[in-house]
Amino acid sequence: MSEHINPWGNDLYGDYSQLFSEFGLQHVDSKLASRLPMTNRLWKRGIIFAHRDFDKFLDSFDKGKPVAVMSGIKPSGDFHLGSKLTAEQIIFAQKAFQSKLYYCIADLEAFADNGQDFEASHEYAVQNVADLLALGMDEKNAFIYKQSENKAVSNLGFIAARKTTLATLDALYGHQNLGLYTAALVQCGDILQPQLKEFDGPKNVLVPVGVDQDPHIRLCRDVAQKIDPKFILPSATYQRLFRSLDGTTKMSKRDPMNVISLNDDPELVKKKVMRALTGGRATAEEQKKLGGEIEKCVVHELMFFHFEDDDAALKKFQHRCASGAISCGDCKNDVAGKIAAYLKDFQARKKKLLPKARKIIEK
C-alpha cells in the first residue's frame, strides 16, 4: 500500500488491514455495533468496518449530550453507487441519533479538483440534494450549504491553514497542487462548523465517509484543538470502497461505463451489468461442477452492498452461485432486472423532489 491515501484518486486500498496498522483506524466490532439504537445492512454486513472515536460519540449520545452528523458531496456529477453508500451512512446516522445533519456542497473542491465553475456545481448540487431526499434525508433537520457561500467555513479553513505546515499536508496527501491542499483545509472548516457558538458550541460530530477520505479526518483532528481548545475531536465511521464494474478501481464519476449512476437509464444499466466482472469459471461444465468464485464477483457485490436488504434472500443468491446452480449470464440478467426496477422507482421519487431540492439550494 502507498504511504498516502489519496482522497481524489481511484485506488481501492484492498488490503484494509494496513489502514489499521499504518494509519490508526479502529475496528468496528460486535460490541460497538450492538450499541447502535438501530441497524441496517451496512452495519450488519460489515460494510461499515472502521472508525475513529465512534465510541466517544456513542458515549455522548447515550448520556443525552448534543451530537451532530456532518458530511458532504463534491458536486461534479450524478450520484453513483459509491455516493449512494455514503448517503445511506449519513441518512442512517441522522435517523438513528435524531441529530442535525450538516451537509456541505463542496463547490470549492469541485473547482480545485475538476476546474468546474460554480454555475455547473449549482446544477449538480440540485440533483445531488434531490438524490438525498429520495434516499430518505430529513431536510427539516438538516443544514445544507455551499462552501462558496459560507463565510464561517472559509474563516475556519483559513485559521486551519495558519496552524498547518506544508510538510504536514505533504505527509498526509503526498505532493498535490495548492488548490487541493486549500480544499482540504476548507473541509476542516466544514467539519468543525457544527461546534461554533452559533450552532450551540462544542459537541461530538460524526463524519460518515468512505475510507479513502480518512486523510481529511486526520487533518481536522490534528488542527481542531489548535483552533479552539474547547473543540471536541471529530469522530468518523468508514465504509468499504465499492468497486467499479470491471473490478479494477473504486467506482468513480471519472469512468462512465464502469459506474452505475442513479440517473442511468435502466436499459443502459442492463448493458453495463452484462459487462461486469464475475467469478465465473472458464466453461459451463466447470461452473456447474465447481460453482462460481463469489469473492471475485462484482455482480455479487451489487447485491451485497446495495440491492438485497434481506439477509436470507442474499444467502440463497450466494448459494446459487457457489453451488453452480446458475450461470453467470442468467445471474447477470436477474441482477440487472432488479437494479433496473430499483432505479425506475428511485427516479420517479427523485423527479417529484427536484423542486424541493432546488428550493433548498437556492434559498
Side-chain angles (χ1 to χ4, degrees):
M1 177 178 289
S2 168
E3 60 183 305
H4 307 110
I5 298 174
N6 181 3
W8 301 289
N10 292 336
D11 294 334
L12 274 170
Y13 308 107
D15 184 3
Y16 288 127
S17 65
Q18 293 186 47
L19 298 176
F20 296 94
S21 60
E22 294 183 22
F23 301 114
L25 267 63
Q26 299 162 273
H27 290 273
V28 170
D29 56 22
S30 58
K31 182 178 179 181
L32 185 72
S34 70
R35 296 181 61 189
L36 292 165
M38 53 192 286
T39 192
N40 68 358
R41 74 179 184 284
L42 303 184
W43 288 95
K44 289 189 293 182
R45 296 178 185 172
I47 296 169
I48 298 173
F49 74 106
H51 73 102
R52 290 191 188 275
D53 283 355
F54 185 51
D55 51 336
K56 295 179 180 178
F57 177 90
L58 288 171
D59 289 343
S60 289
F61 174 74
D62 289 343
K63 292 174 183 176
K65 293 181 179 180
V67 295
V69 178
M70 190 279 143
S71 199
I73 187 73
K74 183 178 69 171
S76 56
D78 296 329
F79 264 32
H80 56 69
L81 295 186
S83 314
K84 172 179 170 285
L85 275 183
T86 304
E88 288 175 326
Q89 262 215 83
I90 296 161
I91 293 164
F92 172 85
Q94 183 193 37
K95 291 179 178 178
F97 303 112
Q98 301 174 22
S99 57
K100 188 161 190 169
L101 167 62
Y102 294 78
Y103 195 80
C104 159
I105 304 298
D107 54 353
L108 292 178
E109 184 184 16
F111 178 77
D113 188 22
N114 303 87
Q116 180 173 282
D117 62 43
F118 291 163
E119 289 77 13
S121 289
H122 177 89
E123 291 306 314
Y124 278 127
V126 172
Q127 293 289 326
N128 295 162
V129 170
D131 287 322
L132 283 169
L133 293 169
L135 288 168
M137 179 190 69
D138 178 7
E139 78 280 4
K140 295 177 182 177
N141 196 24
F143 176 63
I144 302 168
Y145 65 92
K146 295 180 186 175
Q147 284 179 330
S148 62
E149 297 176 355
N150 191 312
K151 187 174 182 181
V153 163
S154 295
N155 287 349
L156 283 168
F158 193 88
I159 298 168
R162 181 69 178 81
K163 308 291 183 180
T164 307
T165 66
L166 281 173
T168 296
L169 293 170
D170 187 68
L172 278 168
Y173 298 102
H175 185 68
Q176 305 289 348
N177 67 60
L178 291 178
L180 292 180
Y181 284 160
T182 302
L185 291 160
V186 171
Q187 285 195 45
C188 292
D190 292 314
I191 294 169
L192 294 173
Q193 178 182 223
Q195 300 196 61
L196 292 176
K197 184 178 179 180
E198 53 264 45
F199 295 110
D200 301 321
K203 61 180 69 66
N204 278 96
V205 178
L206 176 65
V207 189
V209 288
V211 72
D212 57 331
Q213 301 301 300
D214 181 57
H216 298 322
I217 305 299
R218 283 186 278 149
L219 176 62
C220 188
R221 286 169 62 88
D222 181 65
V223 302
Q225 293 180 345
K226 297 175 183 176
I227 294 173
D228 187 336
K230 295 179 181 178
F231 281 163
I232 298 171
L233 299 187
S235 304
T237 52
Y238 300 98
Q239 76 212 24
R240 299 176 186 274
L241 299 179
F242 188 70
R243 291 196 289 171
S244 60
L245 294 177
D246 67 3
T248 59
T249 66
K250 75 177 183 184
M251 190 163 279
S252 169
K253 304 168 188 174
R254 302 176 198 266
D255 190 1
M257 285 310 294
N258 266 315
V259 63
I260 292 179
S261 160
L262 298 189
N263 278 352
D264 275 348
D265 181 273
E267 290 304 313
L268 175 61
V269 167
K270 290 179 181 179
K271 292 179 181 178
K272 289 182 178 182
V273 171
M274 295 307 292
R275 297 174 50 194
L277 176 71
T278 70
R281 303 291 180 173
T283 67
E285 183 179 348
E286 285 186 19
Q287 180 80 4
K288 290 178 181 178
K289 181 180 179 181
L290 301 174
E293 296 179 278
I294 203 166
E295 68 279 1
K296 297 180 180 179
C297 184
V298 172
V299 178
H300 166 252
E301 290 172 15
L302 287 166
M303 299 293 278
F304 182 88
F305 279 77
H306 293 282
F307 297 109
E308 185 53 79
D309 283 332
D310 185 272
D311 290 338
L314 181 67
K315 286 183 180 179
K316 289 180 181 179
F317 174 86
Q318 292 168 333
H319 177 73
R320 282 200 311 166
C321 173
S323 67
I326 190 169
S327 70
C328 289
D330 288 343
C331 180
K332 284 180 174 181
N333 271 321
D334 290 349
V335 171
K338 192 174 182 83
I339 297 173
Y342 173 90
L343 290 179
K344 182 178 180 181
D345 179 65
F346 175 86
Q347 290 166 8
R349 294 200 310 274
K350 177 181 176 179
K351 185 177 181 180
K352 293 178 182 178
L353 292 164
L354 276 167
K356 180 183 283 189
R358 187 169 293 279
K359 186 176 180 180
I360 290 170
I361 292 297
E362 296 178 353
K363 63 183 176 183

